[in-house]
Amino acid sequence: MDASTAVAADMPEPIDLRIDSDSLARHVESLGAIGAQASGGILRPVYSLAWRDATAQVAEWMSNAGLDVYRDAVGNVFGRLAGSSDVTILTGSHIDTVPGGGRYDGALGILAGIEALRVLRECGRPKQSIEVVALCEEEHSRYDTGFWGSRAILGLIDPQEPDNLRDQQGVPIGEAMSQLTLDPAQIASAHRRDLTAFIELHVEQGPTLEAEHKQIGLVQSIVSLSMLRIVVLGRADHAGTTPMNERSDAGYAAACIAREVVDLTTRLGAPAVATVGAWRVSPGASNIVPSHVELLVDVRHPDEAAKRQLVAAIGEAAHGIAKRTSVSAVVSTRADIPPARLDPGMVGVIERGIQAGGYSYREITSGAGHDSQLMSRHVPTGMIFVPSASGRSHCSEEFTPNDDCVRGAEVLAHSLYELAYE
Ligand code: HGY
Ligand code: MN
Ligand code: MN
């Protein structure tokens, strides 16, 4: 018997985990319609009515796929394929979106997980249970929550957060939960102690896989990320009568700060990135010199020390500009998320899942933040990327061809099979 037959003899029969391509395509479209905005893109912030309808819809699809469906205290929705032991492998992603978000960010990880569990169910009862989860919140779109859904699962929500975390209208997150019949007093019950692994399928949200014609991204690490709030305080004055040299124009100072955020980052060079994503100006009329501007700043770098250095430089620049323009500036941190190195064992499982399909792939660092970043500090975690058309995301143009989505779901199914059945 020659070597290749010998090898073939002890290689396990490749299992056929064919994903239902039509079902996946239909669900991406239907879920993308929930919260769709006339102006383009999706608006599905946590505990909004669109969020409520989207979680109900994925619960129905999980049930139709033959999974046991349940919801935890913060509104994470789970579809369970019960195994013979009492530990669980979790896959999934977030169901909330950024304002004007795309149909794939978060959603694809949930929908591919449903399809993967649908085919795995045909393989009989797994040794370890497998669950797909629609995580209730990841995007910080409504509250400065920092992975609310996965923090509930990991038992990392502080008791005072339901009252203290407030949205732009001042609604506490605990109240927003109660409005949807979720009980903030039960949050601690969402803490899971039975998880042995987490795998998240996600669109790359960047240009690399498409540019290099690679079908799958094997994620090794996720960037370090800081979200800052810079409040610039000037003085409201009449825009027509106040001499230019007597103004404390918070709008002008904020514009100088925003420019310096980008110039500092550009001077530091790739892979550093930063932007001022949101400006809130008040009083907000053209004939009043602005007295108050709030800037929301996003700063990222794969290296923690380099990110910290850039954040410090931005703070210094803000204070220098404030002094020069006779305003004051208060810099605070909304979220400070360290970089994550994903579990080498999980990377190996996913790599074998990719090879089972014979797909082209490359190792990649995620420039986007993910629940996996937090999960990886508590359970062995891996991520699978599929390409984003033109690298676009966090916009209505976000798109991934269904064939790519199916390949990603198949790699997920193979990875889960190795973890749960072998
Ligand atoms: O901002 C991010 O990278 C993620 O989409 N929350
Ligand atoms: Mn996102
Ligand atoms: Mn995402």
Side-chain angles (χ1 to χ4, degrees):
M1 181 162 59
D2 66 26
S4 59
T5 333
V7 168
D10 62 12
M11 285 290 277
E13 262 306 294
I15 37 164
D16 176 11
L17 296 175
R18 207 179 305 274
I19 294 294
D20 183 336
S21 164
D22 294 344
S23 168
L24 184 54
R26 262 197 327 275
H27 288 174
V28 167
E29 291 310 311
S30 315
L31 188 56
I34 303 177
Q37 300 293 294
S39 52
I42 303 166
L43 177 60
R44 213 162 52 213
V46 70
Y47 304 137
S48 61
L49 295 183
W51 174 93
R52 177 201 61 189
D53 297 347
T55 55
Q57 178 58 85
V58 295
E60 185 194 324
W61 289 335
M62 288 175 179
S63 170
N64 296 348
L67 306 175
D68 303 327
V69 183
Y70 67 97
R71 190 186 284 266
D72 71 8
V74 291
N76 293 318
V77 181
F78 298 84
R80 181 176 176 82
L81 177 58
S84 32
S85 73
D86 53 5
V87 290
T88 306
I89 295 155
L90 189 62
T91 186
S93 192
H94 58 95
I95 198 161
D96 66 318
T97 73
V98 291
R103 285 170 293 167
Y104 299 85
D105 179 4
L108 185 61
I110 302 163
L111 300 176
I114 293 172
E115 296 308 329
L117 266 63
R118 188 198 308 275
V119 287
L120 287 168
R121 198 165 157 266
E122 306 305 312
C123 302
R125 191 178 177 81
K127 289 179 189 146
Q128 295 197 37
S129 299
I130 317 171
E131 292 184 18
V132 52
V133 61
L135 290 163
C136 64
E137 189 281 343
E138 184 272 344
E139 292 287 10
H140 298 71
S141 296
R142 182 176 176 188
Y143 294 96
D144 283 351
T145 36
F147 306 129
W148 186 250
S150 29
R151 282 200 297 128
I153 289 171
L154 296 167
L156 299 174
I157 289 181
D158 294 335
Q160 82 283 354
E161 288 189 82
D163 290 337
N164 293 356
L165 275 180
R166 291 169 183 262
D167 64 12
Q168 279 294 312
Q169 284 66 45
V171 177
I173 196 167
E175 190 183 313
M177 289 175 65
S178 312
Q179 287 166 0
L180 296 184
T181 70
L182 294 165
D183 180 359
Q186 298 304 319
I187 286 176
S189 68
H191 186 188
R192 300 284 296 266
R193 294 172 178 83
D194 61 325
L195 300 183
T196 54
F198 179 66
I199 298 192
E200 183 173 9
L201 168 66
H202 206 286
V203 286
E204 179 203 340
Q205 301 180 290
T208 307
L209 295 179
E210 185 185 63
E212 296 183 9
H213 308 290
K214 296 289 186 223
Q215 292 169 318
I216 300 286
L218 181 57
V219 185
Q220 300 285 332
S221 56
I222 305 172
V223 287
S224 179
L225 188 152
S226 278
M227 295 182 169
L228 308 177
R229 173 179 282 110
I230 302 180
V231 177
V232 184
L233 298 166
R235 193 184 66 205
D237 274 314
H238 195 295
T241 56
T242 314
M244 289 303 279
N245 65 351
E246 289 177 19
R247 296 180 182 204
S248 293
D249 185 336
Y252 170 66
C256 296
I257 291 170
R259 176 178 168 167
E260 195 56 18
V261 165
V262 173
D263 289 352
L264 274 169
T265 308
T266 312
R267 284 198 294 272
L268 181 62
V273 290
T275 193
V276 179
W279 303 54
R280 294 183 184 115
V281 182
S282 51
S286 67
N287 55 0
I288 312 172
V289 176
S291 56
H292 180 289
V293 179
E294 180 187 70
L295 300 178
L296 299 187
V297 188
D298 186 304
V299 186
R300 306 188 191 203
H301 197 292
D303 176 76
E304 179 64 10
K307 185 217 49 194
R308 287 191 179 285
Q309 229 179 350
L310 181 53
V311 166
I314 288 170
E316 236 171 85
H319 292 122
I321 289 166
K323 211 155 152 225
R324 180 164 57 79
T325 55
S326 343
V327 300
S328 61
V330 179
V331 182
S332 58
T333 298
R334 294 172 59 216
D336 186 29
I337 305 162
R341 194 127 205 81
L342 298 183
D343 178 80
M346 293 297 284
V347 172
V349 168
I350 294 169
E351 189 163 29
R352 286 188 289 277
I354 298 169
Q355 288 160 347
Y359 300 135
S360 63
Y361 66 103
R362 59 106 80 200
E363 294 183 352
I364 195 165
T365 288
S366 174
H370 300 285
D371 288 287
S372 291
Q373 201 149 5
L374 177 67
M375 285 287 193
S376 66
R377 287 183 241 150
H378 300 270
V379 289
T381 296
M383 283 197 83
I384 304 163
F385 272 179
V386 290
S388 290
S390 318
R392 301 291 306 280
S393 182
H394 281 188
C395 57
S396 58
E397 294 81 4
E398 183 181 274
F399 176 70
T400 295
N402 196 50
D403 287 352
D404 286 324
C405 298
V406 171
R407 273 189 281 272
E410 209 179 281
V411 170
L412 176 63
H414 277 281
S415 306
L416 292 170
Y417 183 88
E418 179 180 329
L419 289 167
Y421 285 83
E422 290 181 359

